[in-house]
Amino acid sequence: MSGAKIKAKSIDGAKPPNPKKSRQEKVSTVEVESEVQDQGAPPDFIDPGPELTPEEAEQARKRYLLKRFWISARGYWGRGGDRLAWLCSIGLLILICINVGFQYGINVWNRAIFDAIEQRNASTVYFLSAVFVPLVLGSGSLVVAQVFLRMTIQRRWRSWLTTAVIARWLANGRYYQLNLVGGDHTNPEARIAEDLRIATESPVDFIAGVISAFLSASTFIVVLWTIGGALTLTIAGSTVTVPGFLVITAVLYAAITSTSMAVIGRHFVRLSEEKNQAEAEFRYTLTRVRENGESIALLGGEEEERSGIDKTFANVLGRWALLTGQHMRTALVSQGSSLFAPVVPVLLCAPKFLEGSMTLGQVMQAASAFAIVQGAFGWLVDNYPRLADWNACARRIASLMMSLDGLERAEQSDAFGRIRRGETKGDAVLSLNNLSVSLDDGTAVVKETEVVIEPGERVLVVGESGSGKSTLVRAIAGLWPWGNGSVNFHTDRRLFMLPQRPYIPSGTLRRAVAYPAAADNWTLKKINAALGKVGLDYLNGKIEEDAPWDQTLSGGEKQRLAFARLLLHTPDIIVLDEATSALDEKSQERMMEMLIHELPEVTLISVAHRAELEAFHTRKITLERREGGAKLVSDIDLGKRKSRRNVFVRLLRQRKRPAQPMSRAGS
C-alpha cells in the first residue's frame, strides 16, 4: 500500500506482501516491473469519431489491439527482455539459410541422378546414391536443430510475457478491480493460459516460415529461370517467345491460389475470434458449476445449470460449424494446389524435352524447383487458418492488457479520483480523512467520511444493506481505489482482513490454516492449538491431508478456520466483513470472546448486521444511504453498554451451562 508502511495485508484469498520476503524475490519483482516499463507507456485508445461506420470503428479497434499486443510482446527482445532472445533468433536465422543451401544441393542432386539414369551411367548412379545419404543426414539434422531453437524461443517468450502479464494482473489488487470496471477482459485466466500461448507460438512459426519461404523462392526462381530459359510458341503463324516461362507460371499459379485463399478465408479471423470467445465462456460456465457445486446441489438446480451449459455449448458448436465451412473451403484450395503443383512443370517442360533441348535431369530439377517455389509462394495458403487464429488470440490478450493499462493510468493520475494512502499522525492506528468512495465512473457510494481509530479500539460499522459498508471496508484495505480523500495507517502496523466467504486454497489443511503465509511457517503444534481454540480440534488428525477443503468444509467451519489464521498471524489491525455470518449466535459469541482474549491489544473494525456484536465492540459507526452517497450519521461509544452486556452474559453462563469445549454448533 503506497504511502503507508503496512507490513502485511491479507484480503482473504490474495497473498499479502511478506515482510520476510528475500532480497532475491524483491529484485525479481522489480525486474519484471522494469521490463514492462522499458516498453514505454502504451498509447491511449482513441474512440473513433461519428464519421466512421460501425464496421470501420471495429476495424480501428482491432488494429489498435494488435498494436497494443506488440508493444508489450516485443519487449522480449528489448533491454529488459530475455538475454538469450537475440542469440536464439540469430541462430535460427543461420540454420534456415544453411538448410536452404542443403535444399539446393538436393535439387542439383536430382538433376544429376536422373541424367545419369538417362545415360545408363552405373558408376555415377552409385556415387550419387552414396552422396545422397550425407545430404539427407545434414538436412535432417538442420531441421531438428531448427525445431529446437524455434520451440526454445516460443517457450522462453511465452514464459517472459506470461510472467510480465501476471505481475501486472496481480499488482495492487488489479485482478480484483477488473471485476469492478467495464471492458473486454472476461475470463482473464483463459486469456493468460491459452490465448497468450498461441499469441507467442504462432509468430515464431510465421516469421521462420516467411524467411524460409523468401530464401527458397529467391534461390529456386534463379534455378527455374536458368533451366527453363525461354519458351518459343507458334500461334497463328506467328512466333512468340516467353522468357523465364517457368518463373512466370510459378508466380501466376501462386497468385491464383493465394488470391483464392484470401477471398475464401476473408471471414476466418472473425470466426476464429468468436469461436475462441465461445470456448472461453463454455469453460467459465463449467468452472462456476464446479466452484458452486454445494449451493447448486442443495437447491436442486441441476436442470437449470444443464440448460445454461447446453446453451453455451450450443454456441460453441454453432461457431465451430461456421469455422468448419471456412476450413473446408480453404482445404479445397490447398489440396488442389498440392495436386497440381508437381504436374504443371512437367507438362510445361515436356515439349522441350521431346525436342531434345532439355534433359530428363533438367526436367526433374525444374519440377523439384517449381514445387519448392510454389510451396514458398503458397505459404499463405497453408498458414492462413493459423494466422487467423493468432489474430483472435492476440486481440484477446491485448484486450486484457488494455484493461490493465486503464487501471495503471488511474493509479498514476488524479483525474480519475483516487483514494490517497498515507501515514497517521500521533498514536492513531487508522484515520479516514474526508474519505469519499465512488464507482469507477464517478458515482458516489460513500461521501466525506471522517474517522480516527485509536490503538485497541473495537469499532462496529453498521447500516442498512446497500449503504456502502463493504465498499468502505475494501477502500480501507486498498482494494477499492476510486474516490477522494485519504486512508492513513500507523507506521509498521499490520492489517488482516476476514471476508464473509474465506478463501480456502487447494492443498493440505495445514496450508489452508497458514494462508496467506507458507504452511511451514508454524509448527504442527501451533497450528493444532489454533484449530482447537476456534473449535476445529476434530480436524487435527487431518492437518496434513490433501483434500478439496473448499468443498468439504461448511460455511461456518471456513469462518472458524479464518479466525485460526488470525491467531497465527497476530496482526495489529483486523477487519471483519460479516466474518461470523455463518455462525449461530452462541458460536459467534465464543469466537469473539476468544479473539478478544487471545489478541487483547488488537484494533478491530467489524462490518455486521447482528446487534449482538455490539457487546464485543467499544464503538459503533452508522452509515446511512442517501442520495448522492452514504454518509456517516452517528459515532457512538459502546463502552458502558458493553460492560452491562458482559455482566449479563456471565450470569447466564453460570446459570445455564458449565464450562465445556466448543461444539460444532454453527459450523
Side-chain angles (χ1 to χ4, degrees), residues 451-602:
V451 175
V452 177
I453 299 177
E454 301 295 334
E457 278 197 293
R458 299 192 292 275
V459 182
L460 179 64
V461 182
V462 298
E464 62 180 338
S465 297
S467 60
K469 303 184 301 298
S470 295
T471 304
L472 179 62
V473 166
R474 293 185 180 99
I476 292 174
L479 282 183
W480 195 285
W482 302 287
N484 289 292
S486 63
V487 176
N488 305 307
F489 287 89
H490 191 283
T491 306
D492 295 333
R493 297 298 173 125
R494 296 177 297 120
L495 179 144
F496 205 105
M497 181 174 175
L498 264 62
Q500 184 176 6
R501 297 177 59 186
Y503 173 70
I504 308 297
S506 59
T508 64
L509 183 62
R510 179 174 184 171
R511 179 173 183 246
V513 179
Y515 191 87
D520 55 0
N521 279 16
W522 293 275
T523 64
L524 192 61
K525 182 178 179 181
K526 288 185 177 180
I527 293 178
N528 286 335
L531 289 176
K533 290 176 181 178
V534 298
L536 296 177
D537 49 307
Y538 54 86
L539 294 176
N540 284 345
K542 303 178 180 179
I543 196 69
E544 298 290 0
E545 185 176 326
D546 192 335
W549 294 108
D550 185 52
Q551 304 296 324
T552 304
L553 299 176
S554 67
E557 287 173 323
K558 291 177 184 178
Q559 290 191 339
R560 291 188 185 190
L561 186 144
F563 275 86
R565 291 173 181 170
L566 295 178
L567 301 181
L568 296 178
H569 288 271
T570 61
D572 302 295
I573 308 170
I574 298 175
V575 180
L576 306 179
D577 185 6
E578 299 284 359
T580 59
S581 60
L583 301 175
D584 60 76
E585 185 177 343
K586 290 184 179 180
S587 297
Q588 174 184 264
E589 178 183 316
R590 295 170 188 166
M591 200 63 58
M592 295 302 296
E593 287 181 345
M594 179 277 303
L595 178 62
I596 295 171
H597 178 268
E598 295 294 331
L599 302 173
E601 303 298 325
V602 74

Side-chain angles (χ1 to χ4, degrees), residues 298-310:
L298 291 175
L299 294 172
E302 291 83 1
E303 288 300 320
E304 182 63 23
E305 293 301 323
R306 178 62 183 268
S307 175
I309 291 173
D310 289 345

Side-chain angles (χ1 to χ4, degrees), residues 34-45:
S34 66
E35 288 167 1
V36 178
Q37 293 170 357
D38 286 341
Q39 300 160 20
D44 290 325
F45 175 69

